[in-house]
């Protein structure tokens, strides 16, 4: 439990740096004399850094001692946030965010591998869920607190605080974290070979496709909700908080259900998510019903994640770290696609409402892939 708590705190510290940027963009733009749109490139650059750099860095460091690697990654994260706090101009700030993004994906992959290999095989899903709870906290606690710090003392104070949190995580890892013997060295070749397996590729595809629908709704919550006549803009932060609480509950419940029967509950949760998205499309003109649907979407949207992570771990077998890093990139690809497709729908003559319907269709595609993946990995995947 101590090992898992340390990893959770480290994940919370690093991923807060990802989520908090959206809340301090206006301050960054004003201070550096750029437009908010230009400042938004910080978000895009971070996502690209995770998509492209995470798997490459993970493959390159495959043979490095895991504890030493974790310490190095935390040191780079602390340095990246410190440079972000001190950057005199936008160019250096952009570089610092990309460098920080490179280590985020790799650290999360390493943390999941250590956590799962430290737990009994039958508790893989709940272990992933508990580790991902650190990311949930970054969304519902770290980002609002970081935004508040930025509003009170400036955006540089936000990045400085995250740098200190990363240093505390580094000290905790150095003091108390000892990876299990099973989490020893692997080679880049063995990690790369895993990506040739059909069950692994299908598991990665499930993550990339199955999350697009829910991420599309999350990305365009503001236009979806503020377009309602009786929904004031002031309610949006409260609903976002409710979404985050629902996501946290869903994450923990989804992990527990996955451990009970992954073959039953993972497709079931995806089916429930698709049904909720479809229901949201039907009730999209009602503020109360839409608000309730959004919270349930958050619950089911995060309930599916532990099972997806555990499936990749199980199918990757003896060399899971690179697969987990690619899986994190797959999630970022889903986010990028959600932004693109959702934007096209929102700008169409029909307005943003069809986003719910498109999300339901894409989630059904993820469900179909899950069924195919389960059949393809029969005999290998036991949850």
């Amino acid at each position: 439990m101590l090992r898992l708590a340390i990893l959770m705190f480290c994940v919370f510290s690093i991923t807060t740096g990802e989520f908090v940027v959206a809340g301090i963009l206006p301050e960054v733009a004003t201070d550096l004399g750029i437009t908010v749109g230009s400042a938004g490139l910080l978000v895009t650059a971070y996502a690209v850094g995770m998509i492209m750099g995470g798997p490459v860095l993970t493959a390159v460091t495959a043979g490095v001692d895991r504890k030493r690697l974790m310490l190095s990654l935390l040191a780079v994260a602390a340095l990246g946030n410190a440079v972000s706090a001190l950057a005199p101009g936008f160019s250096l700030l952009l570089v610092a965010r990309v460098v920080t993004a490179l280590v985020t994906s790799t650290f999360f992959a390493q943390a999941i591998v250590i956590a799962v290999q430290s737990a009994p095989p039958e508790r893989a899903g709940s272990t992933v869920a508990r580790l991902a709870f650190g990311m949930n906290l970054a969304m519902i606690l770290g980002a609002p607190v970081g935004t508040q710090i930025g509003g009170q003392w400036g955006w540089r104070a936000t990045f400085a605080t995250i740098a200190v949190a990363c240093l505390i995580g580094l000290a905790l890892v150095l003091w108390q974290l000892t990876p299990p013997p099973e989490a020893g060295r692997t080679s880049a070749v063995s990690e790369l070979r895993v990506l040739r397996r059909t069950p692994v590729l299908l598991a990665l595809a499930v993550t990339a496709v199955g999350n697009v629908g829910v991420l599309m709704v999350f990305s365009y919550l503001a236009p979806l909700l503020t377009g309602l006549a009786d929904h004031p803009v002031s309610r949006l932060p409260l609903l976002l908080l409710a979404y985050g609480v629902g996501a946290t509950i869903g994450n923990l419940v989804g992990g527990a259900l996955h451990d009970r029967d992954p073959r039953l509950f993972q497709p079931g949760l995806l089916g429930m998510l698709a049904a909720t998205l479809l229901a949201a499309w039907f009730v999209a003109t009602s503020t109360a019903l839409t608000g309730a649907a959004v919270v349930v979407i958050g619950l089911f949207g995060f309930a599916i994640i532990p099972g997806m992570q555990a499936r990749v771990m199980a199918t990757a077998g003896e060399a899971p770290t690179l697969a987990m890093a690619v899986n994190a990139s797959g999630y970022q690809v889903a986010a990028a696609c959600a932004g693109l497709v959702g934007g096209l729908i929102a700008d169409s003559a029909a307005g943003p409402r069809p986003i719910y319907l498109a999300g339901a269709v894409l989630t059904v595609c993820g469900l179909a892939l899950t069924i195919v993946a389960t059949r393809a990995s029969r005999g290998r995947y036991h949850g």
Side-chain angles (χ1 to χ4, degrees), residues 41 48 108 111 144 150 200 217 219 243 254 259 271 275 284 313 328 334 353 361 365 369 371:
L41 290 175
V48 171
F108 192 60
V200 175
V217 172
S219 299
Y243 179 96
D259 289 342
M313 278 284 297
R353 182 179 175 180
V361 172
C365 293
L369 275 173
I371 295 172

Side-chain angles (χ1 to χ4, degrees), residues 160-344:
T161 303
I162 296 170
V164 171
C166 291
L167 287 175
I168 293 174
L170 187 152
L172 290 172
V173 170
L174 181 63
W175 169 56
Q176 201 57 256
L177 185 68
T178 303
E182 305 95 300
R185 292 172 174 269
T186 57
S187 68
V189 174
S190 61
E191 294 279 354
L192 287 168
R193 282 175 179 167
V194 165
L195 297 181
R196 297 169 55 188
R197 298 177 184 172
T198 300
V200 175
L201 294 175
L202 284 171
L204 296 172
V206 168
T207 296
V209 176
N211 285 293
V212 176
V214 66
L215 288 173
M216 194 186 308
V217 172
F218 179 76
S219 299
Y220 291 91
L221 269 182
L224 283 167
L225 297 174
T226 55
L228 298 175
D230 57 343
H231 193 290
V233 177
S234 59
R235 290 184 190 174
L236 186 58
L238 184 61
L239 192 56
L240 285 172
L241 176 61
Y243 179 96
V245 172
T248 301
I249 296 171
N251 175 59
L252 297 174
V253 171
L257 291 177
H258 174 272
D259 289 342
R260 291 177 64 89
D261 190 344
R263 296 179 184 274
L264 172 65
F265 285 110
Q266 188 66 9
L269 290 170
L270 276 163
M272 292 298 293
L273 175 59
T276 306
L277 288 165
L278 182 61
W281 178 64
F282 277 110
V283 303
T285 56
S286 167
T287 298
L289 292 177
T290 298
V294 166
V295 175
V296 178
I297 288 170
L299 191 150
F300 284 122
F302 275 75
I304 64 177
I305 292 177
M308 291 177 176
Q309 301 274 15
R311 178 184 292 276
V312 175
M313 278 284 297
T315 54
E318 70 284 352
T321 313
L322 179 59
M324 293 308 302
V326 174
N327 194 56
S329 295
Y331 191 84
Q332 294 296 322
V333 169
C337 291
L340 176 62
V341 177
L344 292 174

